[in-house]
Amino acid sequence: MAVTSTIAKGAPGIPARWTSSAKSGVGTALSAKSPLWFTISHGILNEIYYPRLDSACTRDLGLVVTGPGGYFSEEKRDAAHTVEPFEDGVPGYRLTNTASDGAYRIEKRIIADSNRPVLLQETSFTALAGPAADHRVYALLAPHLVNAGMGNTAWIGEHKGQRILFASGRGVSLALASSLPWGACSAGYVGFSDGWQQLHDNGALEPSCQVAEDGNVALTGEIGFSAGKTVALLALGFGASPEEAADLALASLKQGFEPAANTYVENWRKFQAGLEKLDRHGASGLNTYRVSTAVLASHLSVARPGAAVASLSIPWGFNKGDDDLGGYHLVWPRDLVETAGGFLAAGDGKQALQILTYLRSIQQPDGHWPQNVWSDGTAYWPGIQMDECAFPLLLADALRRAGHLPKSKLGDFSAMIESAASYVVRNGPVTGEDRWEEDAGYSPFTLAVEIAALLAAADMLDIFEKNEPANYLRETADCWNDQIEHWTYVTGTGLCASAGVAGYYVRIAPPDDAGAASPKDGFVPIKNRPPADTDKPAEAIISPDALALVRFGLRAADDPRIVNTVKAIDALLRCDLPQGPLWYRYTGDGYGEHEDGSPFDGTGQGRPWPLLAGERAHYELAAGRTDEAARLLETLERSAGVGGLLPEQVWDRPDLPHRELRLGAPSGSAMPLVWAHAEHIKLLRSLRDGAVFDLPPQGIERYIKRRTVAPFRTWRFNNKIRSIPAGKALRVELSSPGVLHWSSDKWLTVQDSRTVENAFGVHLVDLPVNRLPPGTAIVFTFFWPEAMRWENVDFTVDIDAQS
């Protein structure tokens, strides 16, 4: 391999940036031989991931056309784009880019080679104005190897007699080869000496720019189109060395596009053939179900079966650089369980079980799951979200109930189940972060997941005759379920008056400390807002999250408190758009574009989420309003972007063409959002079945049909309750052995009660105070026998009138 030594000027280039998250296509070969994933936007290739689906290695690969008189046209900016899949459910793409000035048409077919990590792009060029010989077509490639735009080296070289465009960085190399010989080529620094600058300014490439080291680099090569050769095959290979990448690219070129396309299509046909027949063609003509199933499968890992990232995109990527390592190409346990639910609804129980197996492999020693991880299991953000710690239990039970985890297989997961249940039961109900990864406290959504998960875990423990631990899980679930309204439901507020309701569930209530004894007390910090506009009263913030109480079986859809909350949600958070109604995440959300359409930069204004239309549709179905659920399905599908991909958020203001923002169309946030596609699949299944697909049955039976209530309330250091209703016992739970030194008559008489350790390492004691009258104060402190010391703080729990 020959490398010239002429180095381009302008090192290290301008600061690196990613690209648009508004994808119109995502794909992969569904082959272990091809650990490569690709994305498409604006008629060109964007991020290509290798060798893991969380390792972006390119920013984009597009074409520039030049001609007489200084003519310069970049297809992603200066052409109209169409995209269509090869066929339903097959994410190979035909792209057509027609120049806005009518000068040319570029047609592409894009797939990944199933036999090797090579991206194949068949490209044809047609001159629509003037002779074809007047035009020159250049490929522009921006390497961003291993999630970084800086620190890459690019050069023009040769390999086995072929001219190749090379780049290397962080142990990965790429090689771009063409079936038509390259003409003029260059390697330069972005913003100074890259091919785009040269062609735009001078109409030709500078032959001296052959190497660009250690910077934000770009590669450019003229494709050798001629009168008789109007189709070129570009092969972009990846490997651990430049030689390996070049060998793979040349092997794909030799094989040709058609054989590779046939194998690619066959792999996807085989996957789609095994799924439930929930096919549905939307207004766009696309089979929306097959788009969603392809999106789910395109986000699966090859190296770590069962791992799936949240999105092959970086929200507002064009405004973000190397400091945003992860984007959304990370594994969130919550999103992963939702993805598994989508596979299960589509009939792929094997894949859902593989996801559970992966989750088992990344569970932490204490039983919890990290906030998010790289696909190899390495934790990324340090937060702990209790819904994420509970969701895998619901997945295990769903697989069990669907027949994919009989007792013989369930035993393989028993340690995971017990450890997760132990973590949830010991550390709940308060969460360190809600499902939107922002605030600590009592969240109706998190509470619903925790309680449903404890009941599910109890059923699974019973299978192994671990009845005593199972009963403790149910007792705790009952205790928490009884207090959902105490923690999160408010009445008599200003919002109640304005919305015409008696009360509503808040988005999240502060932890029961620092003066916040109820959801009407204390403040919630609104993230992603300017410093002067953060803390809001808990009672002033609502969210569709409360619908989780129905989705997970804890409250009936017609419960007056739920109905009131739905009215409040619609009064404050509903946004009527051309496609139908969508909803905001919560009052005052700051995660979205600014009012002028500029990208989210740590602050902004939240926009409507199509996902929430799917969740609302499931609520409507649970309430017996099937027609309304079906209408919301159409709204969800009409919120998709070009190519049928569902965005995280849509724009809710008048069109801003210069920012590519249109009313009701995808915003600059993540697209596709895999979670939204999983919800879409589950909604299709739910509507077909006439019942909410992923509704756990235990809560329905226990709390809606049997109306089970807990005989006690629990006090813990992480949940210091201040009062209990008359008629309830008081259970005190500790993390280590203790002696409870307590009195119910202001220390006139004293009792000492020793804790007993249960199967989950909880040290508990039940105080028989259920016969004490309202107005009584129970005062207690602790002696710690292992440390031989007193707590030296008195705690008080008042007995209130029975509510």
Side-chain angles (χ1 to χ4, degrees):
M1 177 178 59
V3 181
T4 59
S5 58
T6 310
I7 298 178
K9 295 180 174 61
I14 62 174
R17 289 290 180 267
W18 291 101
T19 188
S20 171
S21 58
K23 308 306 179 191
S24 53
V26 294
T28 188
L30 293 182
S31 166
K33 297 177 183 177
S34 182
L36 184 149
W37 299 258
F38 64 90
T39 66
I40 292 168
S41 174
H42 297 80
I44 69 169
L45 283 156
N46 291 157
E47 292 98 348
I48 301 170
Y49 296 80
Y50 165 89
R52 304 186 334 196
L53 79 169
D54 54 17
S55 178
C57 285
T58 66
R59 180 185 188 273
D60 54 20
L61 170 59
L63 303 179
V64 163
V65 179
T66 64
Y71 181 80
F72 177 94
S73 179
E74 186 177 14
E75 59 173 343
K76 72 177 180 181
R77 290 188 175 93
D78 303 323
H81 316 297
T82 65
V83 56
E84 59 177 329
F86 280 11
E87 60 186 64
D88 285 351
V90 177
Y93 298 96
R94 296 184 186 88
L95 308 182
T96 303
N97 299 329
T98 305
S100 302
D101 60 9
Y104 63 85
R105 182 175 63 247
I106 294 169
E107 295 169 283
K108 306 175 185 177
R109 291 194 294 167
I110 296 174
I111 59 167
D113 189 334
S114 303
N115 292 315
R116 51 190 71 87
V118 178
L119 188 289
L120 291 173
Q121 176 178 294
E122 182 191 72
T123 308
S124 68
F125 177 81
T126 304
L128 301 178
D134 282 352
H135 298 87
R136 295 182 181 276
V137 182
Y138 298 86
L140 271 67
L141 172 63
H144 276 222
L145 290 158
V146 194
N147 294 326
M150 301 303 289
N152 296 293
T153 293
W155 69 97
I156 311 303
E158 286 191 8
H159 184 74
K160 296 183 176 176
Q162 298 264 12
R163 207 170 188 202
I164 306 284
L165 280 58
F166 287 103
S168 290
R170 283 160 291 281
V172 171
S173 296
L174 61 77
L176 181 61
S178 173
S179 62
L180 297 180
W182 293 114
C185 296
S186 83
Y189 294 102
V190 175
F192 293 95
S193 54
D194 63 274
W196 191 96
Q197 302 286 337
Q198 295 169 24
L199 294 171
H200 182 269
D201 296 344
N202 306 316
L205 294 180
E206 171 55 55
S208 66
C209 291
Q210 298 292 291
V211 180
E213 297 178 333
D214 192 20
N216 180 14
V217 300
L219 287 158
T220 308
E222 182 187 350
I223 302 173
F225 290 122
S226 63
K229 296 179 179 179
T230 59
V231 178
L233 179 58
L234 301 183
L236 180 58
F238 294 85
S241 68
E243 293 81 4
E244 181 185 15
D247 280 339
L248 293 167
L250 293 176
S252 287
L253 282 184
K254 184 177 181 180
Q255 174 186 249
F257 188 85
E258 293 302 336
N262 291 339
T263 304
Y264 185 91
V265 169
E266 194 52 42
N267 285 350
W268 278 99
R269 284 177 178 167
K270 183 178 179 181
F271 163 73
Q272 296 284 3
L275 303 181
E276 291 278 339
K277 303 296 186 285
L278 301 173
D279 299 77
R280 169 185 167 84
H281 286 81
S284 66
L286 293 168
N287 186 326
T288 60
Y289 169 60
R290 300 296 173 173
V291 170
S292 286
T293 53
V295 166
L296 262 61
S298 292
H299 285 74
L300 288 168
S301 172
V302 170
R304 290 294 295 268
V309 297
S311 177
L312 290 170
S313 71
I314 300 171
W316 300 284
F318 60 88
N319 197 49
K320 294 182 179 179
D322 290 356
D323 53 342
D324 193 315
L325 277 179
Y328 274 17
H329 46 269
L330 292 158
V331 179
W332 272 264
R334 170 185 43 257
D335 295 55
L336 188 55
V337 171
E338 299 286 8
T339 298
F343 279 115
L344 197 55
D348 194 347
K350 181 179 178 182
Q351 184 58 61
L353 182 57
Q354 206 163 56
I355 287 173
L356 185 67
T357 303
Y358 170 78
L359 282 164
R360 180 183 62 186
S361 76
I362 65 168
Q363 186 182 26
Q364 302 301 291
D366 65 356
H368 88 278
W369 276 271
Q371 181 177 0
N372 53 23
V373 298
W374 297 103
S375 61
D376 66 2
T378 304
Y380 186 58
W381 287 344
I384 294 180
Q385 301 169 13
M386 292 302 294
D387 67 316
E388 292 196 309
C389 301
F391 259 126
L393 292 168
L394 290 175
L395 175 57
D397 192 55
L399 285 163
R400 175 188 70 84
R401 290 184 283 105
H404 301 292
L405 266 185
K407 183 176 181 180
S408 58
K409 289 186 178 180
L410 188 63
D412 295 340
F413 295 91
S414 61
M416 183 204 85
I417 291 165
E418 288 187 51
S419 182
S422 175
Y423 188 87
V424 172
V425 83
R426 286 183 290 109
N427 292 279
V430 171
T431 184
E433 291 181 351
D434 65 335
R435 73 160 168 169
W436 305 122
E437 311 194 280
E438 294 180 359
D439 290 320
Y442 298 97
S443 155
F445 184 94
T446 303
L447 286 166
V449 178
E450 289 175 312
I451 293 165
L454 292 182
L455 296 178
D459 281 3
M460 291 185 282
L461 290 181
D462 274 343
I463 291 172
F464 296 104
E465 300 179 0
K466 296 186 176 183
N467 308 117
E468 189 174 333
N471 287 337
Y472 172 72
L473 295 182
R474 294 190 182 99
E475 288 175 350
T476 303
D478 294 346
C479 183
W480 293 355
N481 182 68
D482 280 358
Q483 297 176 87
I484 289 173
E485 282 70 34
H486 171 70
W487 289 326
T488 67
Y489 192 78
V490 295
T491 58
T493 70
L495 175 55
C496 289
S498 63
V501 298
Y504 51 88
Y505 293 95
V506 298
R507 173 202 165 205
I508 193 166
D512 196 359
D513 55 24
S518 83
K520 291 190 73 172
D521 300 317
F523 291 82
V524 172
I526 303 294
K527 301 297 175 68
N528 308 313
R529 302 294 296 173
D533 186 29
T534 55
D535 287 1
K536 301 289 183 185
E539 69 176 41
I541 309 167
I542 63 168
S543 169
D545 287 2
L547 298 184
L549 296 170
V550 177
R551 182 71 171 265
F552 293 99
L554 308 188
R555 299 292 180 270
D558 61 356
D559 185 310
R561 296 163 300 196
I562 294 290
V563 174
N564 280 336
T565 303
V566 169
K567 290 178 182 176
I569 289 167
D570 286 348
L572 267 72
L573 301 176
R574 174 174 164 144
C575 180
D576 290 308
L577 294 164
Q579 63 265 47
L582 295 181
W583 285 265
Y584 299 98
R585 293 194 304 175
Y586 59 82
T587 318
D589 183 12
Y591 183 57
E593 281 91 353
H594 291 270
E595 192 62 28
D596 64 357
S598 58
F600 173 76
D601 56 3
T603 65
Q605 184 173 327
R607 307 294 169 183
W609 286 54
L611 164 71
L612 297 178
E615 293 187 352
R616 176 61 173 265
H618 274 107
Y619 166 73
E620 297 294 340
L621 183 61
R625 295 185 285 270
T626 304
D627 289 348
E628 181 59 25
R631 279 191 288 272
L632 286 168
L633 168 65
E634 293 180 5
T635 299
L636 174 62
E637 293 178 342
R638 287 198 295 264
S639 299
V642 176
L645 303 186
L646 291 169
E648 180 181 67
Q649 303 175 43
V650 301
W651 183 243
D652 57 352
R653 295 289 185 269
D655 294 357
L656 295 175
H658 66 291
R659 294 197 184 273
E660 298 187 3
L661 294 170
R662 294 183 296 106
L663 180 65
S667 73
S669 58
M671 186 166 77
L673 185 66
V674 179
W675 184 358
H677 283 279
E679 182 74 0
H680 175 241
I681 294 167
K682 286 189 276 189
L683 183 54
L684 289 171
R685 177 68 182 267
S686 297
L687 284 166
R688 189 196 74 178
D689 295 351
V692 177
F693 172 74
D694 56 357
L695 175 63
Q698 294 92 346
I700 297 279
E701 182 65 31
R702 196 168 185 87
Y703 303 131
I704 297 176
K705 293 182 179 178
R706 288 172 19 205
R707 299 183 181 276
T708 302
V709 296
F712 61 85
R713 292 289 182 266
T714 301
W715 185 99
R716 300 171 166 183
F717 276 96
N718 68 339
N719 188 37
K720 300 184 184 111
I721 61 172
R722 288 117 183 270
S723 64
I724 62 173
K728 301 288 186 185
L730 178 63
R731 173 171 287 181
V732 177
E733 297 186 342
L734 307 173
S735 59
S736 57
V739 177
L740 199 67
H741 188 69
W742 64 283
S743 172
S744 59
D745 55 11
K746 300 181 180 179
W747 299 115
L748 292 175
T749 61
V750 177
Q751 298 185 57
D752 287 332
S753 302
R754 186 176 292 271
T755 61
V756 176
E757 185 177 7
N758 71 6
F760 297 107
V762 176
H763 300 263
L764 60 86
V765 60
D766 289 337
L767 304 186
V769 299
N770 52 306
R771 296 186 182 277
L772 296 177
T776 304
I778 305 161
V779 184
F780 54 92
T781 189
F782 303 100
F783 178 72
W784 305 105
E786 290 183 345
M788 293 300 290
R789 68 173 180 85
W790 287 91
E791 182 68 20
N792 288 326
V793 176
D794 286 350
F795 303 95
T796 301
V797 175
D798 295 321
I799 296 180
D800 294 338
Q802 178 68 270
S803 57

